Amino acid sequence: MKKTLFDKIWEAHVVDSIPNGPDILYIDKHLIHEVTSPQAFNELKERKIPVLRPDQIVATADHNTPTQNQHLPIKDVLSRNQLKQLSQNCADNNITLYGLGHPNNGIVHVIAPELGITQPGMTIVCGDSHTSTHGAFGTIAFGIGTSQVSQVFASQCLLVEKPKNLRVNVSGKLKKGVLPKDVILYIISKLGTNSGTGYFCEYAGNVFEEMSMEGRMTVCNMSIEMGARGGLIAPDETTFEYVKGKEFAPKGERFNRLKAYWETLKTDQGAKFDQEYFIDAEEIEPMITYGTNPGMGIKITGSIPLNGGKSAEKALKYMGFKAGESLLEKPINYIFIGSCTNSRIEDFRTVAAYIKGKKKAANVNALIVPGSQQVLAQIEAEGLKTIFEEAGFTLRQPGCSACLAMNDDKIPEGEYCVSTSNRNFEGRQGRGARTILASPLTAAATAIAGKLTDFTKHLN
Amino acid sequence: MEKFITLTDTAVPLEIENIDTDQIIPARFLKVTDKAGFGDNLFRDWRFDQNGNPNKDFGLNNQKYKGSILVTGDNFGCGSSREHAAWALKAYGFKVIVSSYFADIFKGNALNNGLLPVQVSPGFLKKLFRLIDENPSAEIKTDLENQKIEILSTGESEKFDIDPYKKTCLINGFDDIDYLVSKIDSIKKFEEKNRKNESTPSAFI
C-alpha cells in the first residue's frame, strides 16, 4: 500500500483506534503558552489528575506580553496575573518555561524550531491554530483547544479522527520579489478559506524544495487560513542542516540514526490524495489582501473582484474599499513586521536589504517585532538594528504583538496596516483596525513609499 | 460534561459567512485564567459600540429573536483555536449551533463543551433563515439520538452527521479525559515499544 508522508507519521503514532471512532494519537511534543493553558491546568487540578509527561512539554510566554520594557513588572493586571499563573503552573508540574526575558523566550512557533525541539516525524500540538508552522519540518503539527490541552496533559495523547490527505503542488520559477508569503497568500486566494477543512495539506513541488526552512515555516503556518488542520513538507537536506546542532536536536550517532529514519519520511510515488491541486509558480506575484479573511487576496497590481457577494460587501464596507478598485497608491500609515508567520531572521534580512540607505515615509509608523530573543540577538549581531533605526523603523522586544493586539501594540480604529501577520479579520489588530496582509518585502516597500506601490519595478 | 439528548427551542439567526473566533470572542478578553464571564463579551464588537451600547442592527440584540439555537452562515468558527469561543457561546445560553459548514478546531471545541454543532445542507440552512425571518417563534427540534433536525411547524427535517464516539459522549455526558485516562496502560506500553524499536526510531525516544 502506497502511503503519503502524512499517513506514515500518523500511523507511527496511533496507540489504538476506537471502532467507528477516532484514533488515540500519541503526541511527542506539547507546546504551551499563557493564554490557552490556565483553564487546562485548572481542569486537571479539579480532577486530581497529574501531568503524565512533563518532560515532553515546553512553555513560553508570548501572546499577552509587552514588547517594551520586558524587564519591568507588567502594567496590565490581568496580563500580569496570567503570566504569573503560567509560571506557577509550570513550577508545580515540572514543566520547562521560557518566560519573559529568558534568552530562549519568544513566539512559540519561532522558538521550538530554532531550539531544535521541532524535529521531523514528530507529532506536535499547541493550543494555538498556527501550530501548523512546525509542519515545515515534516511533522504532524496542529492547533488544539483548551480541553484538548488538558487531555494531552493527562495522557500525552489525543482522540482525533484522521484528517484526509490534500496535496498542493507549486512548480516552476518564482518571479522576482515573490516571497513564500506571497505563495501561500496566492494559494489561499485561489482555493478559499475553507478548502482545506477536514484535510492535512502536503506542499510539494520544486518551489517548496528550493525554499529555506524559514520560508517553509511561513507557508505551513498559514495552512489553517484555508481551513486545513495542518500543512507539511517532506524533510530533506535543508531540513536536516537546519536541525543539526540546535540546542535540543539529537547529537552525534543519534542524529545520524534519526536522520536515516527522517530520510524515509516522504510520500510514496503513486500514493493517493483525496484532493490535489497544481499551481504554476509563474502565475504568482506579490500579494495583498483587501478584505477580512485571508482568502480575499489579490496581486498587488490587481483590482478587487466584482460580484463577491454579501460576505465581500460586508468586508469591503469594513475595509473602506470598493469592488473593482485598485489599491495601488493607497496611503498606508501603519506597518507591522512580525508574528509567527514572518518574524524569523530571514524575514528581517529581506527587510533590511530593501530599506538600507532609505527612509520610511513621514506618514508611516513602522513596527518591527522579532519572533524571539534569539532572532533579536541575530538582528543586533548582523547590524540590522542600525539599518532599521536609520530608516526610522521601531524595533521592539519579541512577542505576538500587533498580530492579535492582546498587548498595547494596537492599530488605531479606521487605519490601514500592511502587516506580515496571518489574519485580517475584523478588529484583529485592534478594534476597527484594517489589516492588509502582505510579505515582509511588500511591507518594507510600503513603509518607504508611504503607500501601496508596484515595488517590483525597482528591484534589481 | 452536561448531557445532550434532544432540544426543542426557537432560534436566533446570524446570516453571516466565515464568522471567525476573533468575532465570537475578541483576543482582548482572553487574559483571564478561568472560564467565567465570557457570555457577556460574546460577539462583543458586533453587539456593542465603542461606548458599550447595544448595536440595534445586530441579530442578538433584536428582541424578536430568542432561544438557545444559533443559526449561522457557512464556515462558522474559522481562525484561532481559542476554546473561549465555545465557552462564550455556551455561557450566553446557546446549546446548538446550526451552519452549513464548521471549521475543524471550533467543531471539536464545541463538542468538548456539550455545545452541539449541527451541519446541514446549504438548502436547509436557507430554509431555516427564511423560517426564522417569517416566524421568529417557530420551534426547531434537534434530536441527537436520531441525528435529525426538524422544523416543528412544517415537519420538514434533515439528518445530520456526527462521529459515533462523540455522540455517545454527548448523550452520556462523558468527555475525552475520562476515556484517555482509562487508556493510560496501553499508552505506556506504546511508549515502551517505541523506545525499544531501533529500526524505525520514533522521534520521541
Side-chain angles (χ1 to χ4, degrees):
Chain A
M1 176 77 178
K2 302 204 164 41
K3 288 176 182 169
T4 66
L5 165 64
F6 173 73
D7 292 337
K8 289 181 187 179
I9 305 172
W10 184 276
E11 285 165 17
H13 289 83
V14 174
V15 175
D16 203 355
S17 301
I18 301 179
N20 292 319
D23 288 335
I24 301 180
L25 189 75
Y26 192 83
I27 303 302
D28 295 325
K29 293 286 177 200
H30 185 191
L31 310 172
I32 63 169
H33 61 83
E34 73 277 24
V35 176
T36 57
S37 69
Q39 293 88 347
F41 279 112
N42 294 348
E43 186 76 40
L44 247 66
K45 220 182 286 175
E46 277 165 30
R47 298 184 187 216
K48 300 193 172 56
I49 300 172
V51 173
L52 184 68
R53 296 284 177 249
D55 51 340
Q56 285 168 240
I57 308 172
V58 177
T60 186
D62 56 0
H63 280 64
N64 190 6
T65 53
T67 55
Q68 301 185 84
N69 299 317
Q70 289 185 348
H71 63 290
L72 297 177
I74 295 170
K75 282 187 217 138
D76 184 303
V77 181
L78 285 174
S79 302
R80 195 168 65 225
N81 181 48
Q82 202 173 49
L83 291 173
K84 210 174 96 190
Q85 192 81 47
L86 179 72
S87 304
Q88 190 62 52
N89 285 331
C90 288
D92 291 349
N93 293 286
N94 295 316
I95 292 167
T96 303
L97 165 67
Y98 300 127
L100 216 51
H102 189 285
N104 287 349
N105 174 259
I107 305 176
V108 60
H109 311 309
V110 176
I111 66 161
E114 76 184 6
L115 292 171
I117 294 166
T118 304
Q119 296 162 28
M122 283 183 165
T123 48
I124 300 178
V125 295
C126 175
D128 185 283
S129 59
H130 292 110
T131 308
S132 58
T133 311
H134 307 268
F137 292 78
T139 70
I140 290 183
F142 55 93
I144 56 176
T146 298
S147 293
Q148 292 175 306
V149 172
S150 47
Q151 290 158 27
V152 183
F153 281 161
S155 68
Q156 203 55 37
C157 285
L158 273 178
L159 282 169
V160 258
E161 257 185 283
K162 189 183 173 200
K164 290 182 284 185
N165 278 289
L166 161 71
R167 183 161 63 182
V168 175
N169 302 274
V170 185
S171 311
K173 196 173 178 314
L174 289 176
K175 287 185 184 161
K176 201 174 281 177
V178 173
L179 266 50
K181 180 64 164 287
D182 300 307
V183 175
I184 188 64
L185 282 174
Y186 183 80
I187 294 173
I188 302 167
S189 77
K190 278 272 160 195
L191 307 184
T193 47
N194 62 9
S195 56
T197 307
Y199 292 97
F200 231 86
C201 177
E202 180 176 343
Y203 300 96
N206 70 295
V207 164
F208 304 111
E209 286 161 16
E210 290 157 17
M211 231 176 232
S212 67
M213 286 315 294
E214 285 87 351
R216 293 180 192 182
M217 283 189 256
T218 298
V219 169
C220 289
N221 173 277
M222 291 192 70
S223 305
I224 183 75
E225 310 312 336
M226 57 175 172
R229 205 60 201 272
L232 76 176
I233 294 172
D236 58 10
E237 282 305 319
T238 308
T239 322
F240 310 143
E241 270 310 302
Y242 181 99
V243 173
K244 199 175 182 174
K246 295 274 187 291
E247 192 171 342
F248 297 102
K251 306 273 165 18
E253 193 35 48
R254 198 162 165 263
F255 180 87
N256 294 334
R257 209 175 73 222
L258 277 167
K259 190 181 160 206
Y261 169 58
W262 295 341
E263 281 167 347
T264 68
L265 296 174
K266 52 178 95 154
T267 292
D268 297 331
Q269 200 113 45
K272 266 191 75 77
F273 284 84
D274 300 288
Q275 182 67 264
E276 186 156 19
Y277 300 100
F278 296 87
I279 287 168
D280 178 359
E282 293 189 25
E283 287 172 16
I284 310 173
E285 284 179 31
M287 297 288 292
I288 49 170
T289 59
Y290 61 86
T292 55
N293 75 52
M296 294 174 155
I298 50 171
K299 293 172 181 177
I300 194 166
T301 52
S303 48
I304 298 174
L306 297 162
N307 310 322
K310 220 168 154 181
S311 258
E313 265 172 45
K314 184 176 186 298
L316 291 179
K317 190 175 167 213
Y318 181 85
M319 293 298 292
F321 294 150
K322 287 185 202 75
E325 184 181 22
S326 156
L327 297 182
L328 289 177
E329 303 301 311
K330 185 74 72 182
I332 303 290
N333 296 335
Y334 289 84
I335 302 291
F336 172 62
I337 304 176
S339 89
C340 59
T341 315
N342 284 117
S343 65
R344 298 178 181 83
I345 190 64
E346 188 183 82
D347 300 315
F348 298 117
R349 284 181 191 142
T350 304
V351 172
Y354 185 88
I355 67 174
K356 193 173 181 180
K358 301 186 179 92
K359 283 231 178 304
K360 72 167 182 70
N363 60 311
V364 166
N365 184 326
L367 191 62
I368 290 192
V369 183
S372 69
Q373 289 288 353
Q374 282 201 17
V375 173
L376 178 59
Q378 260 174 304
I379 286 175
E380 287 168 355
E382 294 182 15
L384 309 186
K385 186 180 174 182
T386 319
I387 297 173
F388 296 151
E389 282 170 355
E390 284 174 359
F393 286 50
T394 307
L395 175 64
R396 291 283 185 82
Q397 288 170 303
C400 297
S401 179
C403 172
L404 83 166
M406 268 192 88
N407 66 2
D408 291 338
D409 306 340
K410 291 177 172 52
I411 309 304
E413 183 164 15
E415 288 284 355
Y416 293 107
C417 176
V418 170
S419 175
T420 67
S421 55
N422 39 57
R423 286 186 175 135
N424 50 352
F425 296 155
E426 284 184 31
R428 173 80 179 183
Q429 297 195 290
R431 191 169 176 149
R434 294 157 159 175
T435 304
I436 296 171
L437 300 176
S439 79
L441 184 57
T442 304
T446 309
I448 300 302
K451 58 189 180 182
L452 288 165
T453 56
D454 181 13
F455 62 91
T456 57
K457 286 191 291 199
H458 313 296
L459 293 177
N460 302 318
Chain B
M1 197 172 65
E2 206 182 316
K3 291 182 187 181
F4 188 105
I5 300 165
T6 62
L7 175 82
T8 302
D9 204 353
T10 53
V12 179
L14 197 54
E15 201 172 356
I16 302 171
E17 289 179 357
N18 299 310
I19 295 180
D20 59 77
T21 52
D22 272 81
Q23 308 316 317
I24 301 173
I25 184 85
R28 63 184 185 277
F29 300 113
L30 311 187
K31 296 181 179 184
V32 295
T33 56
D34 58 18
K35 295 182 188 176
F38 286 110
D40 297 341
N41 296 315
L42 176 70
F43 295 116
R44 177 76 200 198
D45 294 343
W46 286 349
R47 246 169 91 201
F48 301 101
D49 67 15
Q50 287 278 32
N51 305 317
N53 299 314
N55 175 0
K56 282 189 198 108
D57 299 333
F58 188 62
L60 266 68
N61 294 331
N62 191 330
Q63 294 302 317
K64 252 188 359 193
Y65 305 119
K66 287 197 172 61
S68 55
I69 302 171
L70 180 69
V71 179
T72 181
D74 198 59
N75 198 27
F76 185 77
C78 58
S80 156
S81 64
R82 60 188 71 164
E83 195 161 318
H84 312 67
W87 300 334
L89 288 158
K90 194 86 199 289
Y92 183 84
F94 290 118
K95 291 178 176 154
V96 171
I97 315 287
V98 184
S99 176
S100 49
Y101 215 76
F102 290 96
D104 282 332
I105 306 180
F106 173 79
K107 191 170 167 184
N109 289 341
L111 289 166
N112 282 333
N113 286 280
L115 177 68
L116 183 66
V118 174
Q119 188 173 322
V120 296
S121 67
F124 195 76
L125 187 69
K126 230 183 225 168
K127 205 174 275 176
L128 286 174
F129 279 128
R130 207 166 50 223
L131 169 87
I132 303 163
D133 182 48
E134 287 165 3
N135 178 13
S137 56
E139 286 193 313
I140 297 163
K141 183 179 177 187
T142 310
D143 177 350
L144 178 58
E145 186 77 59
N146 295 306
Q147 295 175 224
K148 197 171 94 171
I149 178 162
E150 185 183 355
I151 300 168
L152 285 186
S153 56
T154 65
E156 286 170 288
S157 69
E158 192 168 277
K159 289 281 230 178
F160 61 87
D161 281 337
I162 183 167
D163 177 290
Y165 163 80
K166 275 292 169 196
K167 180 176 167 182
T168 312
C169 286
L170 280 170
I171 288 175
N172 295 292
F174 297 156
D175 67 22
D176 291 356
I177 297 188
D178 300 331
Y179 184 83
L180 286 167
V181 169
S182 77
K183 290 284 178 183
I184 292 282
D185 285 347
S186 22
I187 292 166
K188 286 184 177 167
K189 267 186 214 139
F190 174 86
E191 289 179 322
E192 200 53 38
K193 185 186 80 192
N194 276 283
R195 271 190 202 102
K196 285 182 191 149
N197 192 347
E198 281 288 319
S199 59
T200 56
S202 177
F204 52 89
I205 17 175

